[in-house]
């Protein structure tokens, strides 16, 4: 019952945010001119952009498959692609992408994959996923001040907030993984403070849940301690995966037959948007991503093509990802766990015949 209520709340929230985004972006704009500009875009350049989106989803599936095999779990690549699709679909439609990993754990459990192992794998995926944004953000701050002041003057507070939230998130996860005792001490102290302030009721079961969660982090630390090369490879794949999605905007740029801005500039600008919105409690960064695009890309696309470029870029990078992952989430629902049930049924039928 609670799950259904939560799903209804998330759906209403998603619809409201989508409606507000549509109104905020297109209110007062010449929609006819925008559609005409989009019709003139060269589809031959947009198709590789869609390939980048599929590669983005596929990249995570390769990471999952690679790490599963490091645990000696013989899962198929196509099954891992379905796990990845499920994660991205539910991340796209839930605030702060909070629904992705719980649903991945659910489908991995249907494939009889151990919950501790799948949790460790998804923990490492999350750490490397966020770490790429931290590296990009801090790299821009340390080595790209000219870039920041040329393109990001209007959004610097949001950009710095995004960096701060991502750094905090990655740091917290690394402390949990590599210093679980320290993390437990901090969390227990936090619970006591909240209880004294009467913001939280005292419950003995809370400490039990904390101990159970600490076990996950200890398992993750143990795995990383013996698989350092695996972590390095996962980080490299994650960089390629994330930059493939950022590159979709460059293909939109080329679809309008524009020139003058480099591939690296456009990719970094799109990366800046991801750094800024990734930790915000909005499904897929909806609303804020469109606003930031319209703020930082005028020097690249010009005023006439800015809005159609934003629609095509977000259409590929978010709505394209949502559509592709939704299709394969349906496939996951129809197939994951079903093959093993069919095999068991066949074995049962054969056994009955023998009897």
């Amino acid at each position: 019952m609670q799950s259904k209520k939560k799903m209804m709340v998330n759906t209403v929230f998603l619809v409201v945010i989508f409606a507000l985004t549509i109104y905020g972006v297109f209110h007062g704009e010449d929609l006819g001119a925008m559609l005409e500009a989009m019709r003139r875009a060269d589809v031959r350049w947009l198709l590789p952009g869609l390939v980048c989106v599929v590669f983005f989803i596929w990249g995570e599936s390769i990471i999952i498959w690679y790490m599963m095999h490091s645990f000696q779990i013989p899962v198929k690549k196509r099954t891992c692609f379905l796990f990845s699709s499920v994660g991205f679909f539910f991340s796209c439609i839930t605030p702060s992408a909070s629904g992705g990993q719980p649903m991945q754990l659910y489908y991995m459990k249907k494939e009889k994959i151990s919950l501790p192992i799948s949790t460790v794998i998804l923990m490492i995926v999350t750490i490397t996923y966020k770490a790429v944004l931290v590296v990009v953000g801090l790299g821009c701050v340390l080595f790209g001040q000219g870039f920041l002041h040329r393109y990001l003057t209007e959004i610097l507070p949001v950009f710095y907030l995004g960096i701060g939230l991502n750094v905090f998130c990655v740091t917290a996860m690394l402390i949990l993984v590599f210093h679980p005792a320290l993390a437990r001490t901090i969390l227990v102290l936090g619970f006591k403070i909240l209880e004294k302030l009467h913001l939280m009721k005292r419950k003995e079961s809370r400490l039990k849940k904390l101990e159970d969660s600490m076990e996950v982090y200890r398992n993750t630390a143990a795995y990383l301690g013996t698989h350092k090369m695996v972590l390095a490879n996962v980080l490299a794949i994650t960089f390629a995966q994330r930059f493939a999605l950022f590159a979709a905007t460059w293909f939109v740029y080329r679809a309008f037959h524009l020139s003058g801005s480099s591939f690296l500039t456009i990719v970094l600008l799109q990366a800046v948007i991801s750094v800024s919105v990734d930790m915000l409690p909005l499904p897929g960064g909806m609303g804020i991503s469109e606003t930031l695009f319209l703020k930082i890309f005028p020097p690249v696309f010009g005023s006439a093509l800015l809005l159609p470029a934003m629609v095509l870029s977000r259409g590929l990078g978010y709505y394209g990802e949502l559509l592709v992952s939704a299709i394969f989430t349906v496939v996951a629902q129809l197939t994951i766990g079903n093959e093993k049930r069919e095999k068991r049924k066949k074995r049962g039928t054969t056994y009955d015949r023998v009897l």
Side-chain angles (χ1 to χ4, degrees):
M1 196 66 186
Q2 288 180 343
S3 179
K4 288 182 179 179
K5 286 182 179 179
K6 187 175 181 180
M7 187 179 296
M8 288 178 63
V9 169
N10 283 338
T11 301
V12 171
F13 183 66
L14 179 68
V15 171
V16 169
I17 294 297
F18 179 74
L20 291 173
T21 299
I22 294 295
Y23 178 80
V25 170
F26 297 111
H27 179 66
E29 297 290 344
D30 186 345
L31 298 183
M34 182 197 73
L35 292 173
E36 179 59 32
M38 289 172 62
R39 276 194 290 268
R40 292 199 304 269
D42 192 338
V43 177
R44 291 172 298 179
W45 282 102
L46 295 178
L47 289 177
L50 183 60
V51 171
C52 286
V53 174
V54 176
F55 180 87
F56 174 67
I57 299 172
W58 176 81
E60 181 174 297
S61 74
I62 290 299
I63 291 171
I64 293 172
W65 175 84
Y66 175 55
M67 294 186 68
M68 287 284 186
H69 279 255
S70 75
F71 279 104
Q72 307 302 314
I73 299 175
V75 64
K76 296 176 181 177
K77 287 181 181 178
R78 66 171 179 268
T79 303
C80 291
F81 185 80
L82 295 180
F83 292 152
S84 180
S85 297
V86 166
F88 283 118
F89 173 70
F90 285 98
S91 292
C92 281
I93 64 173
T94 53
S96 300
S98 58
Q101 290 199 347
M103 291 306 297
Q104 285 178 305
L105 290 172
Y106 168 74
Y107 280 96
M108 288 177 181
K109 186 178 179 182
K110 287 181 72 174
E111 278 292 298
K112 307 300 180 185
I113 296 170
S114 165
L115 186 62
I117 289 176
S118 56
T119 304
V120 167
I121 288 172
L122 294 180
M123 171 67 67
I124 294 169
V125 168
T126 301
I127 291 173
T128 54
Y129 194 80
K130 301 286 186 188
V132 170
L133 294 183
V134 169
V135 170
V136 170
L138 293 180
C140 288
V141 171
L142 295 174
F143 306 108
Q145 284 297 314
F147 171 83
L148 295 182
H149 290 291
R150 180 179 179 186
Y151 293 101
L152 309 184
T153 304
E154 290 189 60
I155 69 150
L156 280 177
V158 180
F159 176 60
Y160 287 131
L161 174 64
I163 293 174
L165 291 174
N166 277 288
V167 168
F168 174 80
C169 181
V170 171
T171 303
M173 285 190 291
L174 291 176
I175 290 174
L176 286 167
V177 169
F178 293 108
H179 299 283
L182 174 61
R184 184 188 184 283
T185 302
I186 294 171
L187 290 172
V188 170
L189 179 61
F191 288 156
K192 288 181 179 178
I193 292 172
L194 292 173
E195 287 168 4
K196 285 184 178 179
L197 294 174
H198 302 290
L199 296 174
M200 181 184 286
K201 291 182 179 179
R202 181 177 176 79
K203 289 183 180 179
E204 293 299 325
S205 60
R206 189 175 292 120
L207 287 178
K208 176 65 171 65
K209 289 180 180 178
L210 178 61
E211 285 296 336
D212 292 341
S213 65
M214 286 297 102
E215 186 63 26
V216 171
Y217 298 113
R218 282 190 283 269
N219 291 340
T220 305
Y223 175 83
L224 291 175
T226 55
H227 294 80
K228 294 183 176 65
M229 199 61 210
V230 170
L231 180 62
N233 292 335
V234 167
L235 190 60
I237 296 170
T238 306
F239 265 99
Q241 174 204 4
R242 298 225 69 170
F243 274 82
L245 187 65
F246 301 151
T249 302
W250 182 79
F251 286 104
V252 172
Y253 179 75
R254 296 298 298 133
F256 287 115
H257 303 291
L258 297 172
S259 60
S261 294
S262 69
F263 173 82
L264 182 60
T265 295
I266 293 171
V267 167
L268 283 178
L269 286 173
Q270 188 60 58
V272 161
I273 294 176
S274 290
V275 171
S276 302
V277 308
D278 190 73
M279 293 294 296
L280 298 182
L282 295 167
M286 197 183 296
I288 186 66
S289 294
E290 289 81 2
T291 300
L292 294 182
F293 190 102
L294 296 174
K295 292 285 186 184
I296 68 177
F297 272 102
V300 175
F301 287 101
S303 57
L305 292 175
L306 182 61
L307 189 59
M310 185 276 293
V311 172
L312 289 177
S313 177
R314 282 291 283 167
L316 288 172
Y318 174 66
Y319 298 100
E321 176 191 336
L322 180 62
L323 177 61
V324 171
S325 60
I327 292 170
F328 285 101
T329 296
V330 173
V331 175
Q333 178 62 30
L334 296 174
T335 60
I336 286 182
N338 292 340
E339 290 182 13
K340 292 185 177 180
R341 281 198 294 271
E342 288 299 321
K343 287 179 181 178
R344 284 196 294 269
K345 283 182 182 178
K346 287 180 180 179
R347 283 199 297 269
T349 303
T350 303
Y351 180 69
D352 291 340
R353 285 174 183 170
V354 170
L355 288 176

